[in-house]
Amino acid sequence: MERFSMSQVVSLLNLPGPPGGRSAYYIQCPCCDDSPRKKHLNINLKKEVFRCPKCGVNGGIFDLYALYTGVPRDKVRKALVESLGTPEIRKPEPKKPLPEDVPESPLADIDIRHATYSALLSKLSLAEDHKENLIGRGFTESEIKQLGYKTTPVAGMSVIARQLQAEDFGLAGVPGFYRTGTDSWTFIQEKRGILIPVRDWQGRIQGLQIRRDNVSKRKFRWISSSFQLEGCGAVGWTHLAGPARSRIILTEGPMKADVIHALTGMTVLAVPGVNALTQLEVALKDLRNEGLEEIKTAFDMDFATNHHVQNGYNDLLRLLDRMGFRYGTYLWDARYKGLDDYIWECCLQKQRS
């Protein structure tokens, strides 16, 4: 098979190599880590993929090269040939399990994930401080209940997993769940925070994000059980807030989308980040079948100054252009980072006047 390897591209980009010969390791994420001491981007040399659980950026060999160089993905192969030469035709070698490799479960069907996550959330509650936090963002109590936001429990997840098993909900392939023994399952232990359901255009829960308490970095992250026994990693799913319409807003972050929809009534589609677009095309095709024609982007105001964000934004515009959508960009007072912050401040000023 003729192809380049992840190891070749890592070396070409002058990125750190794996410590101690490991096949999977972490380096500084170019999109969301502001210090070399922060290392959230996972590179898996064996699977030849990369993923950041903080901002959601992920992909394969060509995606990694495009992320670091700004070269459009459809031009990456040509760039690699110019730098490395034409790859040799290699026969696949027998795979030998490495000590750090842990068998994972394939991702479960969306209907299974939706049923399991819905049942999980029904067994959890929302702490009072989290409710006040959400109300302070512009939600009403009824909207919070409808959205299904809950507080992560700090203990007892093995008990809940056993309850879900007894109720015949599938846990294998549902990100966050993993085995602790022959027939024992549990849910990944996270810091205390708010669980955010990430829904498709039909309202089904595809995955969960968490907004973690008392952290200044990596506040939002995916619920995932990668590298756990029969666990499963999260995918950078999109999230739709509101019904499918001919015109939508496109932003980053499920909670941000929910806030904008709650305050304006407009339909909002969220990607995990401007550099995490792998699931966007699928979502846009579904929405086009439901009548979508026009998209207004509304990413945080740093998209114009952060070159990594700008590269992702340019990829986004190329995608929208290729798919034939009408599109434009919302701009607002730069004192407010996100459109949700700006709209909420406008609402508060109106209430005070």
Side-chain angles (χ1 to χ4, degrees):
M1 182 169 55
E2 180 185 11
R3 63 180 183 82
F4 296 98
S5 70
M6 180 65 84
S7 297
Q8 286 178 300
V9 173
V10 165
S11 177
L12 180 62
L13 295 172
N14 200 29
L15 300 179
R22 295 175 62 89
S23 66
Y25 63 105
Y26 287 87
I27 65 171
Q28 181 183 2
C29 177
C31 303
C32 61
D33 287 334
D34 57 5
S35 165
R37 292 176 297 177
K38 307 291 185 181
K39 297 181 179 181
H40 296 131
L41 188 74
N42 178 266
I43 295 180
N44 191 311
L45 298 178
K46 181 181 179 182
K47 297 181 179 179
E48 301 199 314
V49 295
F50 69 93
R51 181 173 64 87
C52 175
K54 177 185 176 184
C55 66
V57 62
N58 65 91
I61 296 170
F62 285 15
D63 301 294
L64 185 70
Y65 187 87
L67 176 64
Y68 276 89
T69 64
V71 173
R73 193 184 185 287
D74 59 355
K75 305 244 187 322
V76 167
R77 190 181 191 285
K78 180 180 178 182
L80 290 177
V81 169
E82 291 175 353
S83 299
L84 300 173
T86 303
E88 297 179 356
I89 298 177
R90 297 177 294 164
K91 294 182 178 179
E93 298 179 359
K95 293 184 177 181
K96 298 179 180 180
L98 298 177
E100 69 272 17
D101 288 336
V102 178
E104 297 184 11
S105 298
L107 184 67
D109 177 82
I110 175 61
D111 290 322
I112 294 175
R113 282 179 277 137
H114 173 64
T116 300
Y117 283 137
S118 297
L120 168 66
L121 294 173
S122 72
K123 299 179 183 300
L124 306 179
S125 59
L126 183 67
E128 194 62 32
D129 61 321
H130 285 157
K131 182 189 294 185
E132 292 303 316
N133 178 288
L134 294 169
I135 291 174
R137 295 171 180 271
F139 292 117
T140 64
E141 288 194 31
S142 61
E143 287 168 340
I144 295 171
K145 184 177 181 180
Q146 183 178 10
L147 289 167
Y149 288 8
K150 296 296 176 70
T151 295
T152 55
V154 295
M157 290 310 301
S158 294
V159 174
I160 293 178
R162 284 198 297 271
Q163 292 174 350
L164 293 172
Q165 273 188 289
E167 295 166 10
D168 290 328
F169 288 102
L171 306 186
V174 179
F177 290 96
Y178 64 97
R179 282 192 186 276
T180 57
T182 304
D183 195 39
S184 300
W185 288 81
T186 190
F187 192 76
I188 201 77
Q189 191 67 49
E190 278 285 358
K191 286 182 175 289
R192 186 175 185 272
I194 302 173
L195 283 175
I196 306 164
V198 178
R199 302 178 184 272
D200 68 2
W201 69 276
Q202 299 181 61
R204 298 175 299 182
I205 303 175
Q206 306 178 88
L208 298 174
Q209 279 198 348
I210 177 176
R211 182 188 184 276
R212 304 192 299 167
D213 294 349
N214 304 318
V215 294
S216 58
K217 300 293 183 182
R218 210 179 174 194
K219 188 176 289 289
F220 291 89
R221 60 176 293 176
W222 287 102
I223 293 295
S224 168
S225 47
S226 289
F227 308 113
Q228 302 291 340
L229 180 61
E230 294 193 37
C232 184
V235 179
W237 292 290
T238 60
H239 170 73
L240 190 70
R245 288 179 173 145
S246 62
R247 181 179 181 182
I248 66 170
I249 295 175
L250 181 62
T251 190
E252 56 183 318
M255 182 179 283
K256 189 188 300 292
D258 286 337
V259 171
I260 296 172
H261 172 66
L263 295 176
T264 67
M266 300 181 71
T267 296
V268 188
L269 181 66
V271 292
V274 72
N275 282 295
L277 306 178
T278 55
Q279 298 294 308
L280 179 59
E281 186 170 358
V282 174
L284 290 178
K285 287 179 179 178
D286 288 336
L287 291 173
R288 181 159 56 191
N289 291 336
E290 299 300 313
L292 176 61
E293 298 175 352
E294 184 176 4
I295 298 167
K296 294 292 186 181
T297 64
F299 291 95
D300 287 354
M301 294 297 281
D302 64 355
F303 84 91
T305 56
N306 184 319
H307 79 277
H308 287 299
V309 175
Q310 187 65 57
N311 288 340
Y313 185 72
N314 290 336
D315 288 340
L316 167 64
L317 297 185
R318 281 191 287 267
L319 172 62
L320 299 182
D321 188 62
R322 176 168 56 81
M323 295 188 72
F325 287 110
R326 298 198 306 272
Y327 60 87
T329 300
Y330 280 139
L331 298 176
W332 55 91
D333 189 330
R335 291 177 297 174
Y336 303 94
K337 183 179 179 182
L339 181 59
D340 56 329
D341 302 320
Y342 175 68
I343 294 173
W344 181 227
E345 179 60 27
C346 290
C347 292
L348 293 175
Q349 290 180 9
K350 187 175 180 180
Q351 293 173 12
R352 290 192 289 262
S353 62

